[in-house]
Amino acid sequence: MKNVVVVGSQWGDEGKGKIVDWLSSEADVVIRFQGGHNAGHTLVINGVTYKLRLLPSGIVRKNKISIIGNGVVVDPWALLDEIDEIKSKGVDVNEKNLIISESANLILPFHREMDEIREDAAGKAKIGTTRRGIGPAYEDKVGRRSIRLMDLISEKNLDNRLEVVLMHHNAIRRGLGKEIYNKDKLKEDLIDLAPKILKYSKPVWKKIDEFKANGKKILFEGAQGILLDVDHGTYPFVTSSNTVASAAATGSGCGPGSINYVLGITKAYTTRVGEGPFPTELKDKIGEELGTRGKEFGTVTSRKRRCGWFDGVLVRQTIKISGINGIALTKLDVLDNLEEIKMCIAYELDGKKLDYLPAAVDDQLRVKPIYKNFDGWKSSTMGIKKFDDLPKNAKKYVLEVEKFIETKISSISTSPERNDTILIEDPFNI
């Protein structure tokens, strides 16, 4: 029995949905441990498309338990809408197959408004957030003024907690010339929805301990990518949570010894949504072709993704930071038509060669990629299920990627379809 953590090794959007769906079919329990409804996974099962934002991927499969951990920030209205949406497609969601940590922090309407106010006021310094209130909610969590799911149990306690958090937010709103936020209507709305969401509330750490004792296979499902980690990413153009694998333990309530294998999802090229450094970005016809063939639009926001060559330096760096044991290489088929393919193997900064991305954002914006060139294979890899059946130049590219990043490629995705995968190593059965 192994417990597996899935994380994105780039800036997110690496194709985690398909891989997590495959792994969730083997797992007994699937846990979301960070982020909010700013990151989405798209699953296609038996011809039905499911776009999940807060709900773990296991929710669409029978006899699986899905958990939203304490590390997730939860917009209760968005969650209830998502549950209704999933139910409308024939998926049963109930207190037995969905558990939400009683310690999860809530995203409230004034968080969304603060997100928008800040982004609009930032001008050229904007981060490129999804404007869903994620950052302000995490700020309140760290500032110890947040409303948690358990606070909905007592009306008196909820009233006190709202006084505390709105004292902070209204002071900022006044300073920015915005109307103060009224507590009474929000309190009324929260009391109204409380029974609908509290029925899923449990002490998640205790449930995980029970699952481990009973030998259940647990899949920890990360959102976004390591390069968006608030500590290890391209700060300040990052998300507001830790997206590295070790966050799975903190964000769910179990020790690091509960993690047996870390799988990094890695796109065969590189994409990024929003602002911030992107050393290998292509602003030419090749970049457009990658975006078109790869259908590079966000699941949650539909924003067009920036595209570029595979950055081996960055992926090798995130592998070491997050302790990744194996890589699931996705979207190899998107490269099928290219005459030449490039991989970044180093950077140049002020005449010096670097084998890592420096921490300072000014340096990150100025580094120039040093590439290794590969001949394209100019033939279809779509649907191939055996490594030996790949075109010669495709095999060469994959093996060179594996050698450079110093980590085994455990699977290769050759189309969006779940079964179109070259499986080299199963994380649950090693």
Side-chain angles (χ1 to χ4, degrees):
M1 185 276 292
K2 283 187 177 290
N3 299 326
V4 176
V5 177
V6 173
V7 290
S9 70
Q10 295 155 309
W11 277 291
D13 307 310
E14 299 95 348
K16 289 188 291 295
K18 170 184 170 176
I19 306 300
V20 168
D21 172 45
W22 158 55
L23 290 171
S24 66
S25 67
E26 292 192 53
D28 302 302
V29 182
V30 184
I31 304 175
R32 270 287 306 273
F33 59 86
Q34 50 77 220
H37 62 310
N38 56 335
H41 291 168
T42 301
L43 309 179
V44 181
I45 302 174
N46 298 325
V48 180
T49 299
Y50 304 95
K51 292 189 176 183
L52 305 177
R53 294 166 288 278
L54 274 169
L55 292 171
S57 298
I59 200 70
V60 298
R61 295 194 170 276
K62 291 182 179 180
N63 303 317
K64 309 291 180 182
I65 297 172
S66 293
I67 295 178
I68 297 175
N70 55 276
V72 179
V73 284
V74 177
D75 182 321
W77 293 277
L79 177 59
L80 292 173
D81 285 345
E82 190 173 335
I83 290 172
D84 288 342
E85 180 184 330
I86 291 297
K87 283 184 174 180
S88 73
K89 295 187 176 184
V91 176
D92 186 24
V93 181
N94 55 59
E95 298 94 311
K96 292 183 179 180
N97 68 353
L98 177 63
I99 299 171
I100 307 173
S101 171
E102 59 187 2
S103 302
N105 292 260
L106 301 184
I107 300 173
L108 299 176
F110 54 79
H111 291 129
R112 295 194 297 272
E113 290 183 15
M114 185 59 67
D115 214 351
E116 292 177 352
I117 290 168
R118 286 178 177 168
E119 278 289 273
D120 290 339
K124 292 182 179 180
K126 67 179 180 179
I127 301 298
T129 77
T130 55
R131 298 171 178 252
R132 280 164 167 72
I134 311 296
Y138 273 116
E139 287 179 45
D140 282 346
K141 174 183 177 178
V142 176
R144 294 166 293 188
R145 55 183 172 264
S146 185
I147 308 295
R148 299 195 289 175
L149 184 56
M150 66 181 73
D151 292 324
L152 301 183
I153 296 171
S154 162
E155 182 176 342
K156 181 180 178 181
N157 181 58
L158 176 61
D159 190 81
N160 291 336
R161 298 302 302 159
L162 284 172
E163 285 283 354
V164 171
V165 71
L166 286 176
M167 183 185 300
H168 171 83
H169 276 267
N170 280 334
I172 297 174
R173 293 170 74 100
R174 286 190 194 95
L176 293 171
K178 304 295 180 181
E179 290 184 14
I180 65 168
Y181 202 92
N182 185 275
K183 179 189 74 173
D184 296 335
K185 177 64 166 62
L186 177 56
K187 177 184 170 184
E188 182 181 318
D189 291 342
L190 286 170
I191 290 171
D192 180 60
L193 71 75
K196 302 172 187 175
I197 197 166
L198 281 173
K199 64 182 181 181
Y200 301 110
S201 174
K202 288 184 177 66
V204 161
W205 64 269
K206 191 171 187 296
K207 298 301 295 183
I208 292 175
D209 190 59
E210 292 172 11
F211 296 140
K212 287 165 55 184
N214 291 325
K216 301 291 187 183
K217 291 182 181 179
I218 302 174
L219 175 64
F220 297 89
E221 178 183 359
Q224 300 149 306
I226 296 167
L227 291 168
L228 292 175
D229 185 280
V230 69
D231 287 306
H232 302 288
T234 48
Y235 189 93
F237 300 97
V238 293
T239 193
S240 299
S241 62
N242 288 112
T243 60
V244 292
S246 52
T250 308
S252 60
C254 62
S258 301
I259 299 170
N260 307 115
Y261 189 98
V262 180
L263 180 66
I265 315 302
T266 306
K267 199 176 285 185
Y269 49 102
T270 310
T271 61
R272 176 166 200 170
V273 172
E275 310 299 320
F278 187 169
T280 65
E281 183 174 10
L282 294 169
K283 298 180 179 180
D284 56 14
K285 290 183 179 179
I286 296 176
E288 285 292 326
E289 182 178 346
L290 291 174
T292 300
R293 283 183 56 82
K295 298 179 180 177
E296 296 296 351
F297 296 91
T299 297
V300 172
T301 63
S302 296
R303 287 188 294 178
K304 186 178 180 181
R305 298 172 186 144
R306 301 153 65 190
C307 297
W309 294 120
F310 182 81
D311 193 329
V313 179
L314 278 182
V315 172
R316 185 176 60 188
Q317 186 166 322
T318 59
I319 284 170
K320 296 180 186 303
I321 288 169
S322 208
I324 290 172
N325 302 109
I327 286 293
L329 191 67
T330 64
K331 294 198 170 185
L332 183 68
D333 55 295
V334 174
L335 305 179
D336 284 351
N337 292 343
L338 298 177
E339 292 279 355
E340 184 180 57
I341 295 165
K342 297 183 180 184
M343 176 173 71
C344 178
I345 57 170
Y347 301 125
E348 185 271 322
L349 179 64
D350 297 333
K352 294 181 180 180
K353 189 175 180 180
L354 297 178
D355 62 356
Y356 68 98
L357 185 71
V361 67
D362 288 347
D363 291 340
Q364 292 174 353
L365 289 166
R366 292 191 303 117
V367 295
K368 297 178 181 178
I370 298 172
Y371 289 116
K372 182 172 183 177
N373 298 342
F374 299 87
D375 291 331
W377 43 91
K378 297 292 289 181
S379 59
S380 177
T381 60
M382 185 168 286
I384 290 178
K385 299 178 177 62
K386 294 181 180 179
F387 184 78
D388 288 342
D389 292 339
L390 288 173
K392 179 182 176 181
N393 285 345
K395 286 190 282 188
K396 182 179 179 180
Y397 177 70
V398 170
L399 291 173
E400 285 289 328
V401 167
E402 183 177 65
K403 180 181 178 181
F404 185 83
I405 64 176
E406 302 172 5
T407 303
K408 184 171 185 176
I409 291 178
S410 60
S411 65
I412 304 167
S413 176
T414 55
S415 96
E417 294 299 320
R418 181 171 175 262
N419 292 327
D420 290 344
T421 303
I422 300 170
L423 181 60
I424 300 166
E425 181 177 87
D426 184 345
F428 275 124
N429 299 289
I430 297 174

